[in-house]
Amino acid sequence: MTATKTRPRRRARETPAALKARGRKIIARLERAYPEATCALHHASALELLVATILSAQSTDARVNMVTPALFAKYRVAGDYAAADPRVLEQEIHSTGFFRNKTKSIIGMAQAVVERHGRRVPDTMEALVGLPGVGRKTANVVLGTWFGKNEGIVVDTHVQRLSTLLGLTREKTPEKIEQDLMQLVPRDRWTWFSHTLIQHGRRVCIARRPRCESCVINRLCPSSRV
């Protein structure tokens, strides 16, 4: 006799009030499971976090954390990156992928920090996204993690995948997904929420082999297989 695969439960389209109520329950359970969720990129300054976040595009945090110790020991301030030889920096970050574009972004960012911001990484969304190679997602990481400013929710591949599986959004682009999540998650939890979904996506809701049986929010998830 052939075994039947368990299919995800179907959930009727929710009213905004029902979605918000389910969202609150999801957040409460995740808070118990991941009370101290934080950024996985190793850093000791706003500049280090900014560089690490640029390097993390299309790469893994684990790979970036292997590259940055030597990098941070050599390039200690924005002026060091601004004056870097592109060919040398390309080799130093080669293993993170897309190293030419990342080199251009890091050097351009550092030059702008030196020239426009007195050699200090700025702490506003407007100023950060004005730096070469820095988009809203990167700015959200730096603002929320280093400066403690909840200006938005970081939507990386894990956050995008999990928020869709959880039925918290029907949008397809990071910008629109972020807007949906900002309506559901209390502002003081925005940074924590993105770090939590990233951790949950790596440990439990793994893309190719989700561990639904071990998931603390499986009864609140329309995609759960248990």
Side-chain angles (χ1 to χ4, degrees):
M1 183 176 179
T2 308
T4 14
K5 290 184 179 179
T6 306
R7 296 184 178 277
R9 297 191 300 274
R10 291 187 178 275
R11 185 186 292 269
R13 192 179 187 108
E14 293 171 288
T15 64
L19 176 58
K20 197 147 194 170
R22 186 166 63 88
R24 285 196 296 268
K25 292 178 182 178
I26 288 171
I27 291 167
R29 293 190 185 186
L30 289 175
E31 282 181 326
R32 290 195 291 271
Y34 304 94
E36 304 298 331
T38 189
C39 183
L41 293 168
H42 298 166
H43 62 280
S45 69
L47 179 65
E48 289 185 358
L49 179 57
L50 183 51
V51 170
T53 306
I54 291 172
L55 291 176
S56 70
Q58 305 298 314
S59 187
T60 64
D61 290 351
R63 167 54 59 185
V64 172
N65 288 338
M66 291 172 65
V67 169
T68 51
L71 202 68
F72 294 163
K74 179 178 179 180
Y75 303 96
R76 296 183 175 275
V77 295
D80 294 337
Y81 289 104
D85 182 333
R87 291 169 297 181
V88 173
L89 185 55
E90 283 177 4
Q91 291 306 307
E92 291 167 332
I93 67 171
H94 188 279
S95 64
T96 67
F98 299 92
F99 56 91
R100 291 191 181 89
N101 286 339
K102 291 178 182 180
T103 293
K104 184 178 178 181
S105 293
I106 290 171
I107 292 176
M109 172 275 294
Q111 289 173 344
V113 168
V114 169
E115 294 166 9
R116 302 181 212 159
H117 301 287
R119 300 177 179 268
R120 295 175 65 88
V121 173
D123 62 353
T124 67
M125 177 65 73
E126 182 181 11
L128 280 168
V129 297
L131 300 175
V134 179
R136 183 174 174 87
K137 183 178 83 170
T138 298
N140 274 332
V141 172
V142 175
L143 288 171
T145 302
W146 184 260
F147 292 109
K149 294 185 174 184
N150 287 293
E151 296 296 332
I153 293 176
V154 176
V155 179
D156 76 340
T157 53
H158 289 292
V159 175
Q160 182 167 354
R161 179 171 61 83
L162 267 66
S163 59
T164 299
L165 288 172
L166 287 166
L168 302 180
T169 182
R170 293 174 181 265
E171 298 294 347
K172 303 299 181 187
T173 65
E175 296 78 13
K176 290 183 178 181
I177 290 171
E178 182 184 8
Q179 292 304 312
D180 279 353
L181 295 178
M182 287 164 67
Q183 297 299 313
L184 292 172
V185 181
R187 183 166 186 155
D188 65 348
R189 306 304 279 155
W190 285 354
T191 300
W192 165 86
F193 185 75
S194 59
H195 291 323
T196 295
L197 285 196
I198 291 168
Q199 286 192 26
H200 192 64
R202 287 173 176 158
R203 298 177 184 178
V204 180
C205 192
I206 304 161
R208 293 185 180 179
R209 54 184 193 286
R211 298 169 53 207
C212 296
E213 70 285 353
S214 305
C215 180
V216 296
I217 50 175
N218 55 19
R219 296 300 175 187
L220 297 168
C221 176
S223 302
S224 175
R225 295 181 177 273
V226 297

